[in-house]
Amino acid sequence: MKRVYVSRDMASVALGADEIARTLAQAGCDVVRTGSRGLFSIEPLVEVEMPEGRIGYGPVGAADVGKILDGTHPHRLGDVGALPFFASQQRFTFARCGITDPLSLEDYAAHGGWRGLDAARAAAPQQVVDIVKASGLRGRGGAGFPTGIKWQTVLDAPDGPRFIVCNADEGDSGTFADRMLMEGDPYCLIEGMAIAAHAVGASRGYIYIRSEYPFAIDTMRAAIDRAAGRIAPFVIEVRAGAGAYVCGEETALLDSIEGKRGQVRAKPPLPALKGLFGKPTVINNVLSLAAVPFILAEGAQAYADVGFGRSRGTMPVQLAGNVKHGGLYEVGFGITLGELVNDIGGGTESGRPVRAVQVGGPLGAYFPPSMFHLPFDYEAFAQAGGLIGHAGITVFDDTADMAQMARFAMEFCAVESCGKCTPCRIGSTRGVEVMDRIIAARDAAPVAAEGAAGGYLGEALHSRAPSRIDTGIEAQTALLRDLCDTMKFGSLCALGGFTPYPVLSALDHFPEDFGAPAPIEQAAE
Amino acid sequence: MTFTRETDHGTPPAIATGKSVTLTIDGAQVTMPEGTSIMRAASLTGCSIPKLCATDNVESFGSCRLCLVEVEGRAGYPASCTTPVADGMIVRTQTERLKQLRRGVMELYISDHPLDCLTCPANGDCELQEQAGAVGLREVRYGYDGATNMGQAKDQSNPYFDFDPSKCIVCSRCVRACDEVQGTFALTIEGRGFDSKVSPSQGQDFLSSECVSCGACVQACPTATLTEKKVVEIGTPDRAVVTTCAYCGVGCTFRAEMRGEELVRMVPWKEGKANRGHSCVKGRFAWGYAQHQDRILKPMIRSSVTEPWREVSWDEAIAYTASEFRRIQAQYGARSVGGITSSRCTNEETFLVQKLIRQGFGNNNVDTCARVCHSPTGYGLKTTFGTSAGTQDFDSVMKSDVILVIGANPTDGHPVFGSRMKQRLRQGAKLIVIDPRRIDLVKSPHIEAAHHLPLRPGTNVAMMTALAHVIVTEKLYDEAFIRERCDWDEFEDWAAFVSQPSRSPEAVEPLTGVKAQDARAAARLYATGGNGAIYYGLGVTEHSQGSSTVMAIANLAMATGNVGREGVGVNPLRGQNNVQGSCDMGSFPHEFSGYRHVSDDAVRGLFERKWGVTLDAEPGLRIPNMLDAATEGSFKGLFIQGEDILQSDPNTHHVAAGLAAMECVVVQDLFLNETANYAHIFLPGSTFLEKDGTFTNAERRIQMVRKVMAPLNGYADWEIVQLVAQAVGLDWSYTHPSEIMDEIAELTPTFAGVHYARLEAEGSLQWPANEAAPHGTPTMHIDGFVRGKGKFVVTDYVPTDEKTGPRFPLLLTTGRILSHYNVGAQTRRTANTAWHPEDRLEIHPADAENRGIKDGDWVALRSRAGETALRALITERVAPGVVYTTFHHPDTQANVITTDYSDWATNCPEYKVTAVQVALSNGPSHWQEGYAEHSRLSRRIVPLEAAE
Amino acid sequence: MHSLENPREDATLIRLEAADALIAQWTRRHGAARDQLLPLLHMLQEEMGFVDDALVAPIAAAFNLSRADVHGVVTFYHDFRRVPAGRHVVKICRAESCQARGGAAIEAAAAERLGVAMGGTRRDGQVTLEAVYCLGLCAVGPNALVDGRPVARVDVGRLDAIAREIAA
Amino acid sequence: MNDENAVMSTADRLIYMANQIARNVAVMGQDEAAAMVEDHIRSFWDPMMRRQIVALAAERPDALSPIAAAAVGRIAVHCR
């Protein structure tokens, strides 16, 4: 019986993988469902086990099964791992993803699984924390806070129960690494959490997964069942979100697990000291926790050797949107944005010129190609007025209307605002309105901005009266900047606080879309 | 006195750690307790940071973002409400950059707020308006055509306040006040983002929601979103006077906020140590009775109760009163008259009434309504500890680890303290409830009793002894405490008694109906769970073994070492505002003020010297004995100040017969109460708003009552008593209640340090307040019991003679409800009737089904004493075999049913146990209809002009 | 102070009884600590199609919360429906990566092809069309979720197929 | 009290009260209990009630329980 490998990843399934798997099974194959390799331009992908190794075919459809099995299909890729897209990666965290059966404990162990946990459990908690510190691992959720220091705070907290919480509320558009890992190598996350639990003395962990990820929820639950004995006495439970982006904010996430409205808590107190149920809590992103087994198994140095500046190790970068070779690309920090978009991603899928990329999800800045020299590094991006976030890169071609994208950023914030703080609650809605005025003015024939009527007491009292509002582009753009200032510095959390990034970056880099003259020169190159 | 709002420091004080930190705020170095917020620190140093979502009776929230500050070395602009001070911190609160950010936030607020300031009821008293000015907002550039939350319908369902969501800024202060302060959790934010809205329960109106109308939300609201109807009607206040509530024994202090001579609203005083800035629906809102049309403002007399009342001048009324009492005494002897003091009047007034009886009438026939509520507390705690009062202050509960509530229903009867207790329970203290009913505390949002022992009414002593049995036999008692603080031999006697197998939880289970294992678990928890505090109410005292239960409670506290420090103790929850005070003032027939027996020659000598008369050394008559003596013909005249014994005392037939047999009954009250139907002289009383004086609450706290308006009836009650005293020939010449308090202090060692000047300075004093305790005594028995060694008293369980049988198979027990107070004379004359328009009979579904009773049916309630009718409420709150009702409405006349069995030691009536039968009926009973007619006839008034 | 005393239709009553049983079963197995509230709401919605306002009282009672508290939670999360959805639910991703791949046009086409505006349920109750913000399939958009099944690279042809599926 | 007459007569009530006090302290033993009842009646009953109970004890010798009777007997000695 021929052994074939077909991904069960949600993206693969969305592309038709289930149908292919069914057809292969009907054809008498032993179908192993794996995670996704991470290159979607070759999906659906079928790998056939041959004496010389796994031979890939993709993209293929159910109708192609015959030709795949007899080796004649034109989309024969050979050894998938040898494709340049994969060969150039440094897969520390995603080493098994796409290769193993995600729920097979044997597969996991055979591919180096549990070595990190065993090493951790052989060491004292403080030693484990020290190793994580030495690796230079920083929070992969976006903030980039050193993971080891967070763990140290929890380890040092007074005696009593403590928790490990995995933030798998990956709501940023353009990111899917958490989902892929949970669907493709769930034990890796479980192992990472078990190591964290040992390091800080926690006996219970939660994985909070957004409800938009039903496959990840099912896979994690199944994996936790199977691995329960291996990680005992540590216990993990999956909690499903319920449609609230803001719950990706760690304190809102904690409130949501506690069964409350997912509103952001004011800090301090830090969750490390007063987190879930008011107890000391390690709350880390999926990718942070999933990086830990490698660090423990291979040593801190092996991880820290890779990277750039203060950004150590690898980052699973996600190439998304209008990109030819979209997918997951794990690589050491320091690679430039241009290399990722053009060399790895192959430019746009539409074939038109790249106009902009948004890095770090809906709260990330838009960058024009003129900034493609930026190295992938927390500090470099921050300096350039952006953020790496969860390392999703969404590519737009030259048909994109950046004013509409700025409007969408405000709209998204309005849809997802928890409503606690005023700048976000009211500001995002006002932001949409201001953008609408700017777009309307832009689209209308250019006229001089109306001046304020002024002078009348009534109008002074009723400064909101329509006649008093200057709806001209300049006034509205100034208002937009003021609003962004209020939101950026006044908001309680990153949702309201970072929404100005896409808005202002769009405004700054693409002023022509906002009815202003284009920048004088395209800098660089 | 001009109107200023109380200072709001924005966040509550830090939890004391004993450490302090030093920082710099706007260039000034300040030292603050660790954990203080920057906002509070700034406010305490006189620098005000703009704020909207912060207020100092709820935890900081960090949502409005107006209070942003700059902290050197920190990125961004932290919110000062959520950022604690730290050593060496350098904070700037007023910079151009901060002004710009705050203006930006305020511009957003105002972009979704109506611009009707000039016509808004909160104009001038609106934090949003004030802060908009403070941050220098001059224009709103967002336009008028955008999304808005304005234009939503007003909710005017609550009788006392309006909810106008169009004006809401979603600061959540109301929601948090409801959660954190009141503990009802009736409000939430519905939806999210721009659509976030304050929602009572499930988007309902306030009246049909879970709201209990405590008003904490109204107080918390920074805008006109939640506004008292009175403010809408009258306008914002222009002055405020701090005074004390005249409802329950919690003794909340309020700022009576006035506009001219009109009372606009009552705002709980944050400095008030009893209520800490909180209140309930009665105190905050239900004061309309003071101006109610039913109030009698002119004195009236009549020669027979079958005649209509005749309005007369004060002179005539007073002279007639004096002459009648002198006539009766001349005819029937010195002991043929007496008086009843009021637990609703001030200490000074109560003192004068008992002085009138003792000095003027020369006997000790004075009693008070405490007879029917907490007289067993006086007896029991005096016997065991040496003082007739609770051991703690209310704050103490915040240090309790295990709270045992027996025969009390704090969330209804003492709601403000109930909220306090719930705060502590939410912090993790454990709760044991011993009560036949499943009261709210047993299970309500975020509160759940660890143990509920639903005992059969009347078995308190057996229950408490069973708990003691467990504590003694399992050696959970505190031997060191007992050896040091109590009489060890007495303890051994008691221990031997409670250890008898017949006293075990298992043995008494058939009697109490409480599962032995639950009783054992509860006993272990109380004995070993840390600081154990007992709170009890009338469910303990109003039994034929009331005094025994009080002593059994005291035994339990002593045995476990739970007396003499914060967080523990034995705490009676006193019913009326000044029931503690009326007892303190010498209202009982056997003792002078300060609980000193009339037979004590030294004490009597002190009074005789001061008053210049010889005083009776023999105890006088208690209320039921006065009524007996009246029926026998030896008691003929009664002066009743502010009590309605016909409605509130047991066995109405007995009370009516006694009153009817008297020749002169004087009623001094606000209204023609039920007792007045049998009165010959009516002296109109004054409300607490119309006089100066003091009340003493359940924690022995003496607090000032201040006159906020002139008495509508012409005189304060103390002046009326003085007029009567002068008319009977006494040389009283008090010009102000403070002089009465001076006399009390002179004659009463525990009050020796209580003077108005001291009360003004301290805010309040808990007695004993004297040279030994110049600032009063929050916790009693700290270094030893007042009586010396704590006394263990063997409390045998002697069942009541009131027994169920085939004719009367159910047990009736009685209680109170949140919206009403006592016999309802005040609250029935307010909009509180919106919540509880009538008394209902709670009956278990099984008992109802057996009798074919459906929810809302009229049922006849019969006992050996009488019959009444009311409507049924089917609920599992009561156990099968038990029925329950309140007695707030005179139409119900629940006391027609109650018997005249009473406590063996104090004659406190057994309100809590009556054997009854319940059956379907067509409506009010024959007796009720007859009584209604009698009342109508008895209340006819011939006005002064017509009378002349 | 008052409870909801609306007379309930028989159907509602039957649904309430079913819900009571489900709630009781859930709390028996998982306890009634507050953190079980979201899982319970998910289960009820799964079993009953939506979280009826009438369920709030029994849920509140089971968890010892106020009705207000539960109502606040139900209305916070967009997943929880207070009214039933159509027989089919189509969710179209509106987030940036799908927009970069022509998502806006697909949103409009979906509304047109399915005969219902975004966020609404068709008059015949056959289909509800909703926005979703990212399904994590960001390299293969525009994406949709049709009755829970992910569909990538949605184009007009795929929309027609979806419309046919729903009509069936 | 019987079912037909809800209100006790004064005499009945006084006897009932004395017996009730006695029952509640009976656990202390006859002598101590009698002393306790005596003390209680002295402290809390007005002189006329005391005279009445003394008279009642004489009129209705079986009405009082032994403890109550003993206590009232001691009061009688002092009651002129």
Side-chain angles (χ1 to χ4, degrees), chain C residues 61-74:
Chain C
F63 282 81
N64 207 18
L65 301 170
S66 63
R67 287 188 287 120
D69 209 339
V70 176
H71 179 71
V73 172
V74 171

Side-chain angles (χ1 to χ4, degrees), chain C:
Chain C
M1 293 185 189
H2 293 264
S3 58
L4 281 170
E5 280 175 19
N6 300 332
R8 286 165 180 147
E9 309 262 336
D10 283 354
T12 316
L13 213 74
I14 291 164
R15 233 190 9 257
L16 272 179
E17 278 169 15
D20 282 346
L22 288 169
I23 294 165
Q25 193 183 358
W26 184 270
T27 50
R28 262 200 310 278
R29 189 179 309 167
H30 301 280
R34 183 180 185 142
D35 69 286
Q36 283 295 328
L37 181 55
L38 259 63
L40 174 89
L41 290 170
H42 275 304
M43 181 276 289
L44 287 173
Q45 176 147 309
E46 180 76 28
E47 296 290 328
M48 314 199 66
F50 69 109
V51 182
D52 194 324
D53 280 351
L55 300 194
V56 168
I59 294 169
F63 282 81
N64 207 18
L65 301 170
S66 63
R67 287 188 287 120
D69 209 339
V70 176
H71 179 71
V73 172
V74 171
T75 57
F76 182 86
Y77 294 100
H78 288 178
D79 277 6
F80 300 129
R81 303 173 188 285
R82 293 168 64 197
V83 291
R87 279 177 281 282
H88 297 277
V89 177
V90 176
K91 299 187 183 192
I92 305 277
C93 177
R94 292 198 63 216
E96 289 91 339
S97 293
C98 286
Q99 288 195 44
R101 300 173 62 92
I106 292 301
E107 281 170 52
E112 188 250 319
R113 291 261 186 320
L114 299 177
V116 58
M118 190 65 98
T121 297
R122 204 162 74 192
R123 201 180 289 267
D124 64 1
Q126 195 63 18
V127 61
T128 296
L129 179 63
E130 286 177 344
V132 63
Y133 293 87
C134 194
L135 295 165
L137 317 173
C138 310
V140 294
N143 301 304
L145 213 50
V146 181
D147 292 332
R149 178 172 53 87
V151 181
R153 291 187 176 133
V154 176
D155 52 18
V156 173
R158 289 234 161 100
L159 279 177
D160 284 338
I162 291 168
R164 278 195 301 277
E165 192 181 321
I166 280 160

Side-chain angles (χ1 to χ4, degrees), chain A residues 92 135-136 140 303-308 311-315 331-333:
Chain A
F92 288 5
S135 74
R140 295 293 187 246
Y303 194 77
D305 279 347
V306 175
F308 180 90
S311 307
R312 306 314 310 171
T314 61
M315 188 71 206
V331 69
F333 285 97

Side-chain angles (χ1 to χ4, degrees), chain B residues 457-522:
Chain B
T459 60
N460 284 334
V461 175
M463 189 73 251
M464 296 314 280
T465 307
L467 299 183
H469 177 92
V470 176
I471 288 167
V472 171
T473 55
E474 297 188 6
K475 304 223 175 328
L476 306 176
Y477 52 85
D478 184 343
E479 182 169 342
F481 178 91
I482 300 164
R483 283 194 184 277
E484 186 194 332
R485 307 282 301 274
C486 307
D487 185 310
W488 182 256
D489 291 341
E490 281 170 356
F491 168 75
E492 285 191 320
D493 288 349
W494 174 78
F497 169 78
V498 301
S499 302
Q500 294 166 9
S502 62
R503 316 279 164 194
S504 71
E506 290 73 14
V508 300
E509 182 176 326
L511 202 64
T512 60
V514 172
K515 288 200 189 77
Q517 72 214 44
D518 293 349
R520 284 195 178 269

Side-chain angles (χ1 to χ4, degrees), chain B residues 29 111 207 224 234 265 450 465 472 609 640 664 675 866 936:
Chain B
Q29 205 170 63
S111 78
L207 193 65
I234 301 173
R265 64 181 171 199
T465 307
V472 171
R609 278 191 297 282
I640 307 171
C664 181
T675 307
R936 195 187 60 76

